[in-house]
Amino acid sequence: MQRPSGRAPDQLREVNITRNYTCHAEGSVLVAFGNTKVICTASVEEGVPRFLRGTGSGWVTAEYGMLPRSTGTRMGREAARGKQGGRTVEIQRLIGRSLRGAVDLKKLGENTITIDCDVIQADGGTRTASITGACVALVDAINHLQRRKKILDDPLLQLVASVSVGVYRGVPVLDLDYPEDSAADTDMNVIMGEDGGFLEVQGTAEGAAFDRGALDAMLDLAAGGVRELVALQRQALAEG
Amino acid sequence: MQRPSGRAPDQLREVNITRNYTCHAEGSVLVAFGNTKVICTASVEEGVPRFLRGTGSGWVTAEYGMLPRSTGTRMGREAARGKQGGRTVEIQRLIGRSLRGAVDLKKLGENTITIDCDVIQADGGTRTASITGACVALVDAINHLQRRKKILDDPLLQLVASVSVGVYRGVPVLDLDYPEDSAADTDMNVIMGEDGGFLEVQGTAEGAAFDRGALDAMLDLAAGGVRELVALQRQALAEG
Amino acid sequence: MQRPSGRAPDQLREVNITRNYTCHAEGSVLVAFGNTKVICTASVEEGVPRFLRGTGSGWVTAEYGMLPRSTGTRMGREAARGKQGGRTVEIQRLIGRSLRGAVDLKKLGENTITIDCDVIQADGGTRTASITGACVALVDAINHLQRRKKILDDPLLQLVASVSVGVYRGVPVLDLDYPEDSAADTDMNVIMGEDGGFLEVQGTAEGAAFDRGALDAMLDLAAGGVRELVALQRQALAEG
Amino acid sequence: MQRPSGRAPDQLREVNITRNYTCHAEGSVLVAFGNTKVICTASVEEGVPRFLRGTGSGWVTAEYGMLPRSTGTRMGREAARGKQGGRTVEIQRLIGRSLRGAVDLKKLGENTITIDCDVIQADGGTRTASITGACVALVDAINHLQRRKKILDDPLLQLVASVSVGVYRGVPVLDLDYPEDSAADTDMNVIMGEDGGFLEVQGTAEGAAFDRGALDAMLDLAAGGVRELVALQRQALAEG
Amino acid sequence: MQRPSGRAPDQLREVNITRNYTCHAEGSVLVAFGNTKVICTASVEEGVPRFLRGTGSGWVTAEYGMLPRSTGTRMGREAARGKQGGRTVEIQRLIGRSLRGAVDLKKLGENTITIDCDVIQADGGTRTASITGACVALVDAINHLQRRKKILDDPLLQLVASVSVGVYRGVPVLDLDYPEDSAADTDMNVIMGEDGGFLEVQGTAEGAAFDRGALDAMLDLAAGGVRELVALQRQALAEG
Amino acid sequence: MQRPSGRAPDQLREVNITRNYTCHAEGSVLVAFGNTKVICTASVEEGVPRFLRGTGSGWVTAEYGMLPRSTGTRMGREAARGKQGGRTVEIQRLIGRSLRGAVDLKKLGENTITIDCDVIQADGGTRTASITGACVALVDAINHLQRRKKILDDPLLQLVASVSVGVYRGVPVLDLDYPEDSAADTDMNVIMGEDGGFLEVQGTAEGAAFDRGALDAMLDLAAGGVRELVALQRQALAEG
């Protein structure tokens, strides 16, 4: 089996994490998983949604979008159509849940951090790239709050990263690009913390069902991939 | 550890599957997982969405809703608010994907089967009950098409059922009700075919991350639960 | 003239009123007028809409919906289409007005009772069945408030019930089912209190106009029908 | 009992029907019932809605709106709020049904006449003024079709007019203005053809229920009022 | 070159400004630029939008609409379609900005004046007629506030009026009607104060670009037109 | 007078035009006017909107958006709010009109080019940067059509560019950045072709009205700025 990109089954695409990509946000990251490129910003606002007011707890939430021509064929602009599609809603809920797993909301105080992940170029794995990049933007936003003395404790529990795994032509592979993704039998997105624990596992059979053996092989691949991604996050955070 | 309901960790709630619950739909099932009750109908229409026209292939899709007072506190009616919430969208996409895994769409011809899952009473596990009941309604709708000679082959690949598993007070448990669900550390929905293959695995850490051991234990519980549910589906389909 | 159902012109369909149909709502009724089946729940919330705040007066309002496959052909789901249709809006306003006629809002205190009428199976007369069932759910919700000592007085003025009348093949008939309704020359919905007074009269010519004689005959039929329905409401409320 | 306007109980307000009020529409009428002023236009388009295509039958439909400051306090603009309110929907459905009662749709051919009723000044009775004025605009639109030889038969069955009646301070009165309407015990809108038949009767108790005697008295008043209105419609149509 | 209307290049259409056109609004004007007729109302409300609360400053805003059959072909009703079109939004923003240029918002106190411009008949130049008429309604609303002693100072800075200019068949012309507008090479809307200063200049090439000479000629024409319009505003305000 | 950026009154910010910024679109440009950065893509689709079908003419249209955190404070995402704001609508209509001025639609055949301008970082002048960058993307898309032999003629009439001018502290200045824009007395956006003709002039007084002298000075500045921008467009198109 030859992957379309020529990568080894357990090989990530080239991953780049560029901090301070835009100038206004408290955290701003351009993340690239190969040709998939996402701008991830973290915006800090005082106050929390109604259901948390007065609890002393903070909130982390996420929104996701794709530029209309981030894909091979132009997609309708969601703002023009007047609603976010089901896929968008599903992904932004996943990003929000995953990043809340990286944070002790109590230690965030009554502040809200809103993550925006906007895909400028798509080639498979936009949600996993988004989570991986957004976590770095989130750390920058937390650091911003600490430097301003808005929070005294460190609410960061651990770094969180995400990678896709799948079964392509019968072989478990890591970090699928679009040609693989659209042809894979199974597609799984795994979000893990740097301690190796799972925050979210979402596996879907495309076509035939998958068995326990395939599931185990994919989880092993994912664990290796996340370890590498966390190292890249660490490295990006160490710079500048 | 004592479950609030007094059930054993690997024990399903009492499950009832009532066919022909309403009179108009080609398939109509009332499914109860304990106090969770969902009306699942399968509606047959000739024709398919635009992206399938002329391909000879059929389509299966799903919509999900909750009656405003299916829950302890009244929820706003989505039709009145003018949009479906994120959770609704996520669930109906899951139901649709899972049921497409039960069907050879090619053999369905250019027909669309729309599944409606409407929760009339909620006590945890509405999506797993929905999938399990909807699969029975789907079979009835397929039989309807066969009796009318609209299709000659049998497009049913296998029965599909779903159950939730989680870690409650440190112990893996099967088929969480609402008191367990709202207190669980981890919550996973598993959709499997009667052949034991996975169609979808969606696990979410609530609070702390979960490790591979917990994941394995939950998957084992789910496999047992789905086996029982498929037997109940078979039994319901054998009646009448 | 033979009615499709074989009923006498002044004969109601078999009517069933089942209280405590679901477990969460303060009032929950399944009402059946023959094959027309509606779940009516009454939900109590503290507080009132803005225009009543500080007046000491309560509020009763209603929402109405049909499950997509409650009808012979599947209707689009209003939540998915993003708005309630004109017929839905018209009916829920009628239900709300009618039930406010059953209640002394001043004695309700600043509480809101929201009635949800969700049709699970339709065979004509869904709005009249809804009002008749909802009034029983409303009484249960009021009793709930009284048991909790949230209100001391009895805000119930009288029971309210509703029935349709029409002219079918030249003959005035009571409680039209779908085959009659779709072929009737005239269709009228009458909402009356148990004292025999009118709360609402809505008559529509379908095709030819109707004269005063037909109107009088229909009103006489309606008065008899409502008397029977109120007796059935009383009987249901006397049980359990 | 003294009516606020000093009118006799069976006295209409001054009614004016001005044809050709604006220049583009096939029928364009300014109707005034006292201070209530409505622009009614009838627009002819070839073709019919999907459900009538190929049947040879035409269609008549209506839309209703109020200018934001047609009332004492400015109302939000429905176009800006992004939806029509329940009252608007209810009224435009009533206008459409009533005018279809004036027309033999078969003789209209596959043409659609859309009635727009836009209230520029409101003082009670906007829906009855709308129907009365719209019927004149409809006749002008039909004449337009006949002059252009688009239709050969005369689809007009009869003129249709509408008036409100109510019980104000215990006395049945005709054609309520806003001060009466907002204080009335009962409010009824009656739509009749020039032959004296009923097209629609909609009576609502405001506060206490009303009895059969009050209903009869109101219907008598309405019949007299509609006779006068039809005479005014005839007179307007005879001019020019 | 002959203008379709036979007017001289620098000749306005007949302009009429009728105050107190409807009875409820604090300012209510019917403005006619030839066959273009717009109802302009100014509504006063206490309070200001959130971004101005506590600043002591008032607010002036505008909304614009066209009756569906104000035009040659019926346009869909924006309230029914559920959103205002791009052209509507653009025009109402322009009207609001222009009228804010007529007012010292500080002297208005925390009051909001909402201008509604509703076109009942369109023949080109609806936005310029709207601004010109709305300014008169605005003055009436300000006078209302002064008579009620709600404001003590005079917030009116100057009258504001607007006219269109364009190049029609190579010749710069003033106040284009629809036949000219739809055939013009260039179309420009100019809003000026009575002191001759520009509040807004919006010129658009239709087809070919226009040069500085054409621009200069159009601005000269506009200045003359606005002078005449301000005189007509003054005259209308002097009456009654 | 010192500009906040230290620029001379007639000095543009540093302008960069990067072609082929993303990989999927037929034209893809990152344009920077100083810190204002916009991704402009041009997408080619066969076919035209309904009103042009069968005419042989093509269409050019535009959509505009800002990433939520392209600005100093996070703006709500329009897709999540369910509608595009008035400013967005106004800008995208302006971009579309301007670019249609660059193209002979007849020579484009029945193809549609959709321009998407998405602001990733905002510092004033997003609409002028968008038009200037979008024109380059448009040329690339036209070249794509020519290379594929989808069109044989050259539909490009001329390059089009845009710049803002204003009066800042009494001095006319070119290409305002955000600090200038928010404090300017007058703000004007000028769109010109490379032949020096005007496609659109939109000037707005902020606060006081502006006189003819200021207008003339601003137009002179704009003409010089557009000449420089066209040279930069030419240079970018000459590369690669």
Side-chain angles (χ1 to χ4, degrees):
Chain A
M1 195 280 306
Q2 174 77 24
R3 299 181 72 172
S5 58
R7 281 185 283 149
D10 64 349
Q11 191 181 348
L12 291 174
R13 289 178 279 182
E14 185 178 334
V15 171
N16 282 296
I17 298 173
T18 308
R19 284 164 64 212
N20 304 316
Y21 183 67
T22 57
C23 65
H24 297 299
E26 285 73 33
S28 173
V29 164
L30 176 70
V31 63
F33 276 32
N35 279 325
T36 290
K37 296 184 184 176
V38 187
I39 299 177
C40 309
T41 59
S43 298
V44 172
E45 283 165 302
E46 273 184 48
V48 284
R50 186 186 306 256
F51 70 94
L52 284 174
R53 274 180 214 153
T55 64
S57 178
W59 189 239
V60 174
T61 186
E63 290 186 358
Y64 170 93
M66 298 181 84
L67 295 200
R69 197 54 198 283
S70 57
T71 47
T73 306
R74 186 179 184 272
M75 301 180 305
R77 184 178 291 264
E78 292 186 325
R81 276 189 285 141
K83 69 188 267 197
Q84 295 180 301
R87 179 182 168 278
T88 294
V89 168
E90 203 172 279
I91 291 176
Q92 68 191 10
R93 284 165 57 88
L94 173 67
I95 299 171
R97 275 200 310 274
S98 299
L99 293 181
R100 284 192 291 278
V103 175
D104 181 338
L105 296 174
K106 276 291 175 195
K107 292 190 180 162
L108 192 55
E110 291 206 2
N111 296 293
T112 295
I113 299 178
T114 303
I115 304 294
D116 286 288
C117 295
D118 285 276
V119 178
I120 62 176
Q121 192 172 278
D123 185 36
T126 65
R127 78 191 73 188
T128 55
S130 292
I131 292 167
T132 304
C135 185
V136 175
L138 175 68
V139 172
D140 277 333
I142 287 172
N143 289 342
H144 171 93
L145 281 166
Q146 290 174 319
R147 279 195 309 275
R148 303 280 167 110
K149 311 289 184 210
K150 296 287 178 65
I151 52 176
L152 303 177
D153 268 339
D154 184 0
L156 187 72
L157 294 169
Q158 62 172 334
L159 292 178
V160 162
S162 174
V163 74
S164 72
V165 280
V167 178
Y168 176 73
R169 303 202 173 175
V171 179
V173 294
L174 181 70
D175 188 22
L176 289 72
D177 54 26
Y178 181 73
E180 289 172 326
D181 192 28
S182 52
D185 307 318
T186 301
D187 181 23
M188 183 175 295
N189 294 292
V190 180
I191 296 101
M192 300 176 77
E194 58 185 312
D195 65 359
F198 295 101
L199 281 133
E200 189 104 12
V201 173
Q202 293 201 341
T204 302
E206 313 279 352
F210 55 94
D211 63 18
R212 187 72 171 265
L215 178 57
D216 286 341
M218 289 189 287
L219 291 172
D220 291 341
L221 277 178
V226 166
R227 261 193 307 272
E228 284 186 67
L229 290 168
V230 168
L232 291 163
Q233 289 174 321
R234 282 269 162 239
Q235 186 180 319
L237 286 164
E239 288 161 6
Chain B
M1 195 279 307
Q2 175 76 26
R3 298 180 74 173
S5 60
R7 280 185 283 151
D10 63 350
Q11 190 181 347
L12 292 174
R13 289 178 281 183
E14 184 178 334
V15 172
N16 282 295
I17 298 172
T18 307
R19 283 165 65 213
N20 303 317
Y21 183 67
T22 56
C23 65
H24 296 300
E26 286 72 34
S28 173
V29 164
L30 176 70
V31 63
F33 276 32
N35 279 325
T36 290
K37 297 182 185 178
V38 187
I39 300 176
C40 308
T41 59
S43 298
V44 172
E45 283 166 301
E46 274 185 48
V48 285
R50 185 185 308 256
F51 70 94
L52 285 173
R53 274 181 213 153
T55 64
S57 178
W59 189 239
V60 175
T61 186
E63 290 186 359
Y64 170 92
M66 299 182 83
L67 295 200
R69 198 54 198 284
S70 58
T71 47
T73 306
R74 184 178 185 274
M75 301 179 305
R77 183 179 292 265
E78 291 186 326
R81 276 189 285 141
K83 69 187 266 197
Q84 295 181 300
R87 181 185 167 276
T88 294
V89 168
E90 203 172 279
I91 292 176
Q92 69 192 11
R93 284 165 57 86
L94 174 66
I95 299 171
R97 274 200 311 273
S98 300
L99 294 181
R100 284 191 291 277
V103 175
D104 181 338
L105 296 173
K106 275 290 174 195
K107 293 191 179 162
L108 191 54
E110 291 206 4
N111 296 292
T112 295
I113 299 179
T114 303
I115 304 293
D116 286 287
C117 296
D118 285 275
V119 178
I120 62 176
Q121 193 173 277
D123 184 36
T126 65
R127 78 190 75 187
T128 55
S130 292
I131 292 167
T132 305
C135 184
V136 174
L138 174 67
V139 172
D140 277 333
I142 288 172
N143 288 342
H144 170 93
L145 281 166
Q146 291 174 317
R147 279 196 310 275
R148 303 279 169 111
K149 311 289 185 208
K150 296 289 180 64
I151 54 176
L152 302 177
D153 268 339
D154 185 0
L156 187 73
L157 294 168
Q158 63 173 334
L159 292 178
V160 162
S162 174
V163 73
S164 72
V165 281
V167 177
Y168 176 73
R169 302 200 175 175
V171 179
V173 295
L174 181 69
D175 188 22
L176 288 73
D177 54 26
Y178 181 74
E180 288 172 328
D181 192 28
S182 52
D185 306 318
T186 302
D187 181 22
M188 183 175 297
N189 294 292
V190 180
I191 295 99
M192 299 174 77
E194 56 185 314
D195 65 359
F198 295 101
L199 281 132
E200 187 104 12
V201 173
Q202 291 201 343
T204 302
E206 313 278 351
F210 55 97
D211 63 18
R212 187 72 172 265
L215 179 56
D216 287 340
M218 288 189 286
L219 292 172
D220 291 340
L221 276 178
V226 166
R227 262 194 306 274
E228 284 186 66
L229 290 168
V230 169
L232 291 163
Q233 289 174 321
R234 281 268 163 242
Q235 185 179 318
L237 285 164
E239 287 161 10
Chain C
M1 194 281 305
Q2 175 75 26
R3 299 180 73 172
S5 60
R7 281 185 283 148
D10 64 349
Q11 190 181 347
L12 292 174
R13 289 177 280 182
E14 185 179 332
V15 172
N16 282 296
I17 299 173
T18 307
R19 284 165 64 212
N20 303 316
Y21 183 67
T22 57
C23 65
H24 296 300
E26 286 72 34
S28 173
V29 163
L30 175 71
V31 62
F33 276 33
N35 279 325
T36 290
K37 296 184 184 177
V38 187
I39 300 177
C40 308
T41 59
S43 297
V44 173
E45 283 166 301
E46 274 186 47
V48 285
R50 185 185 308 255
F51 70 95
L52 286 172
R53 274 181 213 153
T55 64
S57 179
W59 189 238
V60 174
T61 186
E63 290 186 358
Y64 170 92
M66 298 182 84
L67 295 201
R69 197 55 198 284
S70 57
T71 47
T73 305
R74 185 177 184 274
M75 301 180 304
R77 184 179 290 265
E78 291 185 326
R81 276 189 285 141
K83 68 187 269 196
Q84 295 181 301
R87 180 183 168 277
T88 294
V89 168
E90 202 172 279
I91 292 176
Q92 69 192 10
R93 284 165 57 88
L94 173 67
I95 300 171
R97 275 201 310 274
S98 300
L99 293 181
R100 283 191 292 278
V103 175
D104 182 338
L105 295 174
K106 276 289 174 198
K107 292 190 179 163
L108 191 55
E110 291 206 3
N111 295 294
T112 294
I113 298 179
T114 303
I115 303 294
D116 287 287
C117 296
D118 285 275
V119 178
I120 62 176
Q121 193 171 276
D123 185 36
T126 65
R127 78 190 75 188
T128 56
S130 291
I131 292 167
T132 304
C135 184
V136 174
L138 175 67
V139 173
D140 276 334
I142 288 172
N143 289 342
H144 171 93
L145 281 166
Q146 291 174 318
R147 279 195 310 275
R148 302 279 168 111
K149 310 290 185 210
K150 295 289 179 63
I151 54 175
L152 302 176
D153 268 339
D154 184 0
L156 187 73
L157 293 168
Q158 62 173 335
L159 292 179
V160 163
S162 174
V163 73
S164 72
V165 282
V167 178
Y168 175 73
R169 303 201 174 175
V171 180
V173 295
L174 181 69
D175 188 22
L176 289 73
D177 54 26
Y178 181 74
E180 289 172 327
D181 192 27
S182 52
D185 306 319
T186 302
D187 180 23
M188 183 174 298
N189 294 292
V190 181
I191 295 100
M192 300 175 76
E194 58 185 311
D195 66 358
F198 295 101
L199 281 134
E200 188 104 13
V201 173
Q202 292 202 342
T204 302
E206 313 278 352
F210 55 96
D211 64 19
R212 187 71 172 267
L215 179 56
D216 286 341
M218 289 189 286
L219 292 171
D220 290 341
L221 276 179
V226 165
R227 261 193 306 274
E228 283 186 68
L229 289 168
V230 168
L232 290 163
Q233 289 174 321
R234 281 269 162 241
Q235 186 179 317
L237 285 164
E239 288 161 7
Chain D
M1 196 281 305
Q2 175 75 26
R3 298 181 74 171
S5 59
R7 280 184 284 149
D10 64 350
Q11 190 181 348
L12 291 174
R13 289 178 278 182
E14 184 178 335
V15 171
N16 282 296
I17 299 173
T18 308
R19 284 165 64 213
N20 304 317
Y21 184 67
T22 56
C23 65
H24 296 300
E26 286 74 34
S28 173
V29 164
L30 175 69
V31 63
F33 276 31
N35 280 325
T36 290
K37 297 184 182 175
V38 187
I39 300 176
C40 308
T41 60
S43 298
V44 173
E45 283 165 302
E46 274 185 47
V48 285
R50 186 185 307 256
F51 70 94
L52 286 173
R53 276 180 212 153
T55 64
S57 177
W59 188 239
V60 175
T61 185
E63 289 187 0
Y64 170 92
M66 299 181 83
L67 295 200
R69 196 55 197 282
S70 57
T71 47
T73 306
R74 186 178 184 275
M75 300 180 306
R77 184 178 291 264
E78 291 185 327
R81 275 189 286 142
K83 69 188 267 196
Q84 295 181 300
R87 179 182 168 278
T88 294
V89 169
E90 202 172 279
I91 291 176
Q92 68 191 11
R93 284 164 57 88
L94 174 66
I95 299 171
R97 274 200 310 273
S98 300
L99 294 180
R100 283 191 293 277
V103 175
D104 181 339
L105 296 174
K106 276 290 174 197
K107 294 190 180 163
L108 192 55
E110 291 205 5
N111 296 293
T112 295
I113 300 179
T114 303
I115 304 293
D116 286 287
C117 296
D118 284 277
V119 178
I120 63 176
Q121 192 172 277
D123 185 36
T126 65
R127 78 191 74 188
T128 55
S130 291
I131 291 167
T132 304
C135 185
V136 175
L138 174 67
V139 172
D140 276 334
I142 287 172
N143 289 342
H144 170 93
L145 281 166
Q146 290 174 319
R147 280 194 310 274
R148 304 280 168 109
K149 310 289 185 211
K150 296 288 178 64
I151 54 176
L152 302 176
D153 269 339
D154 185 0
L156 188 73
L157 294 169
Q158 63 173 332
L159 292 178
V160 162
S162 174
V163 73
S164 73
V165 281
V167 179
Y168 175 73
R169 301 200 175 178
V171 179
V173 294
L174 181 69
D175 187 23
L176 288 73
D177 55 25
Y178 181 73
E180 288 172 327
D181 191 30
S182 52
D185 306 320
T186 302
D187 181 23
M188 184 175 296
N189 294 293
V190 180
I191 295 101
M192 300 175 76
E194 58 184 312
D195 65 359
F198 295 102
L199 281 132
E200 188 104 12
V201 174
Q202 292 201 342
T204 302
E206 313 279 352
F210 56 95
D211 63 18
R212 186 73 171 265
L215 178 56
D216 286 340
M218 288 189 287
L219 291 172
D220 291 341
L221 277 178
V226 166
R227 263 193 305 273
E228 285 187 66
L229 291 168
V230 169
L232 291 164
Q233 289 174 321
R234 282 267 162 242
Q235 186 179 319
L237 286 164
E239 289 160 7
Chain E
M1 195 280 306
Q2 174 77 24
R3 299 182 72 173
S5 59
R7 281 184 284 149
D10 65 349
Q11 191 181 346
L12 291 174
R13 288 177 280 183
E14 184 179 333
V15 172
N16 283 296
I17 298 173
T18 308
R19 282 165 65 213
N20 303 318
Y21 183 67
T22 56
C23 65
H24 296 301
E26 285 73 33
S28 173
V29 164
L30 176 70
V31 63
F33 276 33
N35 279 325
T36 290
K37 296 183 184 178
V38 187
I39 301 176
C40 308
T41 59
S43 298
V44 172
E45 283 164 302
E46 274 185 46
V48 285
R50 186 186 307 256
F51 70 93
L52 286 173
R53 273 180 214 153
T55 65
S57 177
W59 189 239
V60 174
T61 186
E63 290 186 359
Y64 170 92
M66 298 181 83
L67 295 201
R69 196 55 196 283
S70 57
T71 47
T73 307
R74 185 178 184 272
M75 301 180 304
R77 184 178 291 266
E78 291 186 326
R81 276 189 285 141
K83 69 187 265 198
Q84 296 181 299
R87 179 184 168 277
T88 294
V89 168
E90 203 172 280
I91 292 177
Q92 68 192 11
R93 284 165 57 88
L94 173 66
I95 299 171
R97 274 201 311 273
S98 300
L99 294 181
R100 283 192 292 278
V103 175
D104 181 338
L105 296 174
K106 275 290 173 197
K107 293 190 179 162
L108 191 55
E110 291 206 3
N111 296 292
T112 295
I113 298 180
T114 303
I115 304 294
D116 286 288
C117 295
D118 285 276
V119 178
I120 63 176
Q121 193 171 276
D123 184 36
T126 65
R127 77 191 75 188
T128 56
S130 292
I131 291 167
T132 304
C135 185
V136 175
L138 175 68
V139 172
D140 277 333
I142 287 172
N143 289 342
H144 170 93
L145 280 166
Q146 290 174 319
R147 280 196 310 274
R148 303 282 166 107
K149 311 288 184 210
K150 295 289 179 63
I151 54 176
L152 302 177
D153 268 339
D154 184 359
L156 188 72
L157 294 169
Q158 63 173 331
L159 292 179
V160 162
S162 174
V163 73
S164 72
V165 282
V167 178
Y168 176 73
R169 301 199 175 177
V171 179
V173 293
L174 181 69
D175 189 21
L176 289 72
D177 54 26
Y178 181 74
E180 290 172 327
D181 192 29
S182 52
D185 306 319
T186 302
D187 181 23
M188 183 175 297
N189 294 292
V190 180
I191 295 102
M192 299 174 77
E194 58 184 313
D195 65 0
F198 295 100
L199 281 133
E200 188 104 14
V201 174
Q202 291 201 342
T204 302
E206 314 278 351
F210 55 96
D211 63 18
R212 186 71 172 266
L215 179 56
D216 286 341
M218 288 190 286
L219 292 172
D220 291 341
L221 276 178
V226 166
R227 263 194 306 273
E228 284 186 66
L229 290 168
V230 169
L232 291 163
Q233 289 175 321
R234 280 269 162 241
Q235 186 180 319
L237 285 164
E239 287 161 8
Chain F
M1 196 279 307
Q2 175 77 24
R3 298 182 72 173
S5 59
R7 281 185 284 150
D10 64 349
Q11 190 181 348
L12 292 174
R13 289 178 279 183
E14 184 179 335
V15 172
N16 283 295
I17 299 173
T18 308
R19 283 165 66 214
N20 303 317
Y21 183 66
T22 56
C23 65
H24 296 300
E26 285 73 32
S28 173
V29 164
L30 175 71
V31 62
F33 275 33
N35 279 324
T36 290
K37 297 183 184 176
V38 187
I39 300 176
C40 308
T41 60
S43 298
V44 172
E45 283 165 301
E46 273 185 48
V48 286
R50 186 187 307 256
F51 70 94
L52 286 173
R53 275 180 213 153
T55 64
S57 178
W59 189 239
V60 174
T61 186
E63 290 186 358
Y64 170 91
M66 299 181 82
L67 295 201
R69 196 55 196 284
S70 58
T71 47
T73 306
R74 186 178 184 274
M75 301 180 305
R77 183 178 292 264
E78 292 185 326
R81 276 189 285 141
K83 70 187 266 196
Q84 294 180 301
R87 180 183 167 278
T88 294
V89 168
E90 204 172 280
I91 292 176
Q92 68 192 11
R93 284 165 58 88
L94 174 66
I95 300 171
R97 274 200 312 273
S98 301
L99 294 181
R100 283 191 292 279
V103 174
D104 181 338
L105 296 174
K106 276 290 173 196
K107 293 192 179 161
L108 191 55
E110 292 205 4
N111 296 293
T112 295
I113 299 180
T114 303
I115 303 295
D116 287 287
C117 296
D118 285 276
V119 179
I120 63 176
Q121 192 171 278
D123 185 36
T126 65
R127 78 190 74 187
T128 55
S130 292
I131 291 166
T132 304
C135 185
V136 175
L138 174 68
V139 173
D140 277 333
I142 288 171
N143 289 342
H144 170 93
L145 281 164
Q146 291 174 317
R147 278 195 311 273
R148 303 280 168 110
K149 311 289 184 209
K150 297 288 178 66
I151 54 177
L152 302 176
D153 267 340
D154 184 0
L156 188 73
L157 294 169
Q158 63 173 333
L159 291 178
V160 162
S162 174
V163 74
S164 72
V165 281
V167 178
Y168 176 73
R169 301 202 176 174
V171 179
V173 294
L174 180 69
D175 188 23
L176 289 73
D177 55 25
Y178 182 74
E180 288 172 328
D181 192 29
S182 52
D185 306 320
T186 302
D187 181 22
M188 183 175 296
N189 294 292
V190 180
I191 295 102
M192 299 175 77
E194 58 185 312
D195 65 359
F198 295 101
L199 282 133
E200 189 104 13
V201 173
Q202 292 201 341
T204 301
E206 313 278 352
F210 56 96
D211 63 19
R212 188 72 172 265
L215 179 56
D216 286 341
M218 288 189 286
L219 292 171
D220 291 340
L221 276 179
V226 167
R227 262 192 307 272
E228 284 186 67
L229 290 168
V230 169
L232 291 164
Q233 289 174 320
R234 282 268 162 241
Q235 185 179 321
L237 286 164
E239 288 161 8

